[in-house]
Amino acid sequence: MRENIVRKAAELFLNLGFKSVTMDDIAQEMGISKKTIYVHFANKTKLVEAVTFELFEIICDGIDGICEASNNPIEELYDIKMFVMHHLKDEKSSPQFQLKKYYPKIYEVLKLKQFEKMHDSVKDSLKNGVDTGLFRSNINIDFISRMYFNGMTGIKDNSIFPQNIYNMNYLMESYLEYHLRAIVTEKGLETLNKFITSNQS
């Protein structure tokens, strides 16, 4: 039952927002009593925390799978973007922004976990790109990895990139291209341009 509650809550939170979905809404959607939810979660904050970290683990597992199966680090970044967007429902409800606003403690823990995961993953990807001649050999891998995380986090700030002007898919595509064009070699640029041309979204 606990897993079912987390799954349904995740779906509602991602579609409608952490703030607007109540415990009553979740109980009604599942056809159970609110008391049943409280057997597993003392309050809404505990449920939000469980949903957040469950989603994080699912996304981490997916990213690991993509990295293992990837043809090259350029396609890998785009595949990861598609996977994350799918699991976060295209971030329609600005989940990161809402977490930061209404559940700041959960947000801070999640941000640290995300940084640790992404920092390692991106460093490996950058090293692979350098080794295969797609990325410039003189890039500072640690610095670029931190900048990438900072940018990916930054584009989710609704006060800087309002959703009525920019949708999340556009922001992520544009940021990925911006990031890659700064570090590719001529060979990498050729691969990037080919990939963008054949995958116009």
Side-chain angles (χ1 to χ4, degrees), residues 41-149:
F41 302 98
N43 50 49
K44 186 180 168 186
T45 302
K46 289 290 181 196
L47 178 55
V48 168
E49 186 178 56
V51 165
T52 302
F53 297 134
E54 170 77 10
L55 276 170
F56 174 75
E57 291 302 330
I58 290 169
I59 287 169
C60 284
D61 289 346
I63 288 172
D64 289 343
I66 289 166
C67 293
E68 280 171 29
S70 170
N71 290 323
N72 67 63
I74 291 172
E75 286 187 29
E76 180 184 295
L77 282 177
Y78 281 96
D79 288 344
I80 288 171
K81 182 218 82 157
M82 292 298 292
F83 176 79
V84 171
M85 291 290 283
H86 171 72
H87 277 276
L88 296 182
K89 313 285 185 194
D90 291 344
E91 308 213 22
K92 287 194 286 281
S93 66
S94 307
Q96 299 262 23
F97 181 72
Q98 287 212 358
L99 263 188
K100 187 177 183 180
K101 189 172 180 183
Y102 301 112
Y103 300 94
K105 285 182 181 170
I106 297 172
Y107 172 81
E108 287 304 326
V109 175
L110 179 67
K111 189 177 176 185
L112 189 59
K113 278 172 166 280
Q114 285 175 328
F115 172 71
E116 287 166 356
K117 175 66 185 174
M118 202 188 267
H119 188 45
D120 288 342
S121 173
V122 173
K123 277 203 301 187
D124 288 345
S125 178
L126 289 168
K127 188 176 182 311
N128 183 18
V130 170
D131 292 345
T132 52
L134 294 172
F135 300 158
R136 289 184 287 110
S137 59
N138 62 342
I139 61 172
N140 181 329
I141 286 176
D142 185 72
F143 172 73
I144 299 284
S145 173
R146 291 170 190 271
M147 284 294 289
Y148 181 73
F149 177 79

Side-chain angles (χ1 to χ4, degrees), residues 8-27 29 44 47-48 98 103:
K8 177 53 72 178
E11 186 188 310
L12 292 170
F13 288 151
L14 289 174
N15 281 316
L16 304 168
F18 287 107
K19 173 72 173 164
S20 56
V21 176
T22 65
M23 298 295 248
D24 283 315
D25 294 332
I26 297 162
E29 277 285 322
K44 186 180 168 186
L47 178 55
V48 168
Q98 287 212 358
Y103 300 94

